[in-house]
Amino acid sequence: MILNLKYKSTITSFPFWRKLALFSLITLLHFNPVNAQFTENLIDKLTVHFASGSHTVSDTDKVKIQKFINDLDVVIPYVFRIQSHTDSIGSLEFNQKLSERRSESIRVYLRKLGVPDILISTKGIGETKPIMSNNDDDGRKYNRRSNVFVFEIQKQRLFKSKVVLKGARQNRATVYIQSSGIMDSVFTDDQGNFAFIVPEKKDVTFGVFAPGYMFTTRKINTNADLPVDEITLNRIKKGEKVSLQNLYFVGDKAILLPESQPELINLLRFVRNNKNLKLEIGGHVNGPEINKGSPEWYYNLAFERTVTIKNYLVNSGMDRDNYECKSYSNTQMIYPEPTNESEAKLNRRVEIKVVE
């Protein structure tokens, strides 16, 4: 990596983690500034005020800025956006240039604190966006300000795959994706190909839907689980079923946790597009012999969880008569004697089966 020497002396005073984060980000921006995939999430803001007609950062505000920078004490790369304003005293042209000089003054001071130039952008807004009235001294004082916005850099990854519709000439489907801060959808092409740009190291849930076909959902981590293999959908017919793996209940209860919301939404999409289908909601629990739980307790827990799912559909406007709840207790475990949590999780499931 080629790092401008004028940054080197200031960065050397940074803690090791901050050097590493900055070097990683600078490498990304230097070597691939156009094609680099990342987004910016606003995490903090500092406001600095100026004397009338001045672009000089006061000693008091320098201390304030330095503390602000030092308090950004997490291992995350940042970028800084400086936007400066003026009051209405003076011409529009003068105030525009004054606001630009104010942003530049803060940029210079951030560089002295060790922030590389490539991570800073500046903008002068002049007098066009006051937050108080310019008709009195107090209002004008408030309007003479610079805002330092701090953004967290979130690297992105390409999530692409292919949908295959069994028995179809074309593989046109719709893919929905959900995560914290993300809700998006895309159509596949005729060959079933699709792609999303997704944040790195995030959990996302996606669902795949096509008219006349069953649906599928999956939760992946965008760092560990990409790329995703081909996704196959079967035609809707009697006996076809889908396992809802991403439903999360309170331990030993029929109460859904908030993390279940994406899976519930995907189920609701399917039933809304197939309102005449009669479906069985089947409940399964993890009850290996080693646990020696009560058969009645296992049965009731599985059944109550299916009732919770049915109530969600009914409360969302679906016809109660279309859904039958059934408990399979621990009689159809995929792993009769699970050896880890992943296997136990596959035993704990709700399945949707087409009855007619």
Side-chain angles (χ1 to χ4, degrees):
M1 186 181 93
I2 300 173
L3 183 64
N4 193 321
L5 289 178
K6 63 185 176 182
Y7 306 141
K8 207 167 186 180
S9 62
T10 52
I11 295 178
T12 52
S13 63
F14 274 33
F16 172 77
W17 61 261
R18 189 170 290 174
K19 294 178 194 176
L20 183 62
L22 286 175
F23 283 0
S24 299
L25 179 56
I26 291 168
T27 302
L28 174 67
L29 296 176
H30 267 305
F31 290 122
N32 201 11
V34 175
N35 297 320
Q37 297 288 351
F38 58 85
T39 56
E40 299 174 357
N41 301 316
L42 180 65
I43 63 165
D44 213 340
K45 182 184 82 168
L46 174 70
T47 300
V48 175
H49 294 278
F50 290 84
S52 180
S54 172
H55 63 274
T56 301
V57 182
S58 70
D59 290 341
T60 299
D61 283 328
K62 286 181 179 179
V63 172
K64 184 178 177 182
I65 294 171
Q66 184 170 17
K67 183 179 184 305
F68 179 70
I69 297 298
N70 289 339
D71 286 346
L72 295 173
D73 194 19
V74 289
V75 190
I76 296 175
Y78 296 118
V79 291
F80 300 81
R81 306 284 182 248
I82 306 169
Q83 295 182 0
S84 297
H85 306 256
T86 70
D87 59 27
S88 60
I89 303 300
S91 68
L92 282 173
E93 182 181 1
F94 174 84
N95 286 333
Q96 177 61 36
K97 291 181 177 178
L98 176 60
S99 67
E100 292 169 3
R101 289 195 295 271
R102 286 174 174 169
S103 288
E104 177 64 13
S105 295
I106 295 179
R107 183 187 69 82
V108 169
Y109 188 63
L110 288 181
R111 286 182 57 191
K112 288 182 179 179
L113 293 176
V115 180
D117 227 9
I118 197 171
L119 305 185
I120 309 171
S121 67
T122 62
K123 185 176 182 179
I125 298 177
E127 64 180 76
T128 59
K129 292 185 178 180
I131 55 174
M132 300 283 284
S133 170
N134 277 309
N135 294 329
D136 56 67
D137 288 340
D138 288 340
R140 288 192 291 270
K141 182 178 178 181
Y142 239 98
N143 293 331
R144 296 191 296 267
R145 70 198 189 279
S146 289
N147 291 319
V148 182
F149 298 98
V150 184
F151 292 88
E152 171 192 338
I153 292 296
Q154 172 67 66
K155 291 177 64 178
Q156 305 287 290
R157 297 198 65 190
L158 180 64
F159 168 23
K160 63 179 181 178
S161 188
K162 181 177 181 179
V163 177
V164 176
L165 305 181
K166 280 193 173 180
R169 292 182 178 180
Q170 294 184 335
N171 294 306
R172 298 283 293 180
T174 307
V175 184
Y176 296 88
I177 188 167
Q178 288 179 264
S179 183
S180 55
I182 302 173
M183 185 174 288
D184 202 357
S185 63
V186 69
F187 295 110
T188 68
D189 63 16
D190 290 345
Q191 287 71 48
N193 299 304
F194 70 92
F196 287 96
I197 297 296
V198 292
E200 188 179 52
K201 299 180 182 178
K202 295 289 185 180
D203 291 330
V204 299
T205 299
F206 68 89
V208 184
F209 301 82
Y213 281 80
M214 300 297 285
F215 71 108
T216 189
T217 65
R218 185 175 166 190
K219 186 175 183 178
I220 63 169
N221 181 275
T222 57
N223 192 53
D225 300 323
L226 295 181
V228 171
D229 294 335
E230 284 187 356
I231 303 161
T232 302
L233 298 187
N234 296 326
R235 288 189 182 276
I236 294 174
K237 62 182 180 181
K238 186 176 180 179
E240 283 290 341
K241 59 186 177 182
V242 172
S243 181
L244 304 179
Q245 291 292 336
N246 302 308
L247 294 176
Y248 303 97
F249 292 89
V250 175
D252 297 337
K253 296 183 182 297
I255 301 171
L256 283 165
L257 293 169
E259 302 94 286
S260 303
Q261 194 63 21
E263 191 81 331
L264 292 171
I265 291 173
N266 280 323
L267 173 60
L268 188 58
R269 285 191 179 106
F270 176 72
V271 297
R272 279 178 171 168
N273 290 326
N274 299 278
K275 292 184 178 180
N276 295 324
L277 280 183
K278 303 291 186 181
L279 300 175
E280 175 193 283
I281 305 173
H284 303 259
V285 295
N286 180 55
E289 181 65 26
I290 193 172
N291 287 1
K292 296 182 180 179
S294 159
E296 182 180 3
W297 184 87
Y298 282 140
Y299 179 92
N300 290 338
L301 177 61
F303 184 78
E304 288 167 5
R305 286 179 171 175
T306 67
V307 172
T308 298
I309 304 304
K310 178 176 179 177
N311 288 341
Y312 170 80
L313 296 176
V314 172
N315 291 336
S316 299
M318 308 313 298
D319 187 348
R320 177 181 295 276
D321 294 336
N322 284 345
Y323 311 111
E324 170 191 349
C325 293
K326 186 171 181 178
S327 172
Y328 290 92
S329 186
N330 61 343
T331 63
Q332 295 186 9
M333 290 190 295
I334 298 172
Y335 294 95
E337 296 298 331
T339 58
N340 54 55
E341 177 55 29
S342 295
E343 293 180 353
K345 182 175 180 290
L346 289 172
N347 289 336
R348 285 191 300 267
R349 67 197 188 278
V350 173
E351 291 179 336
I352 305 299
K353 184 169 74 174
V354 178
V355 177
E356 60 179 85

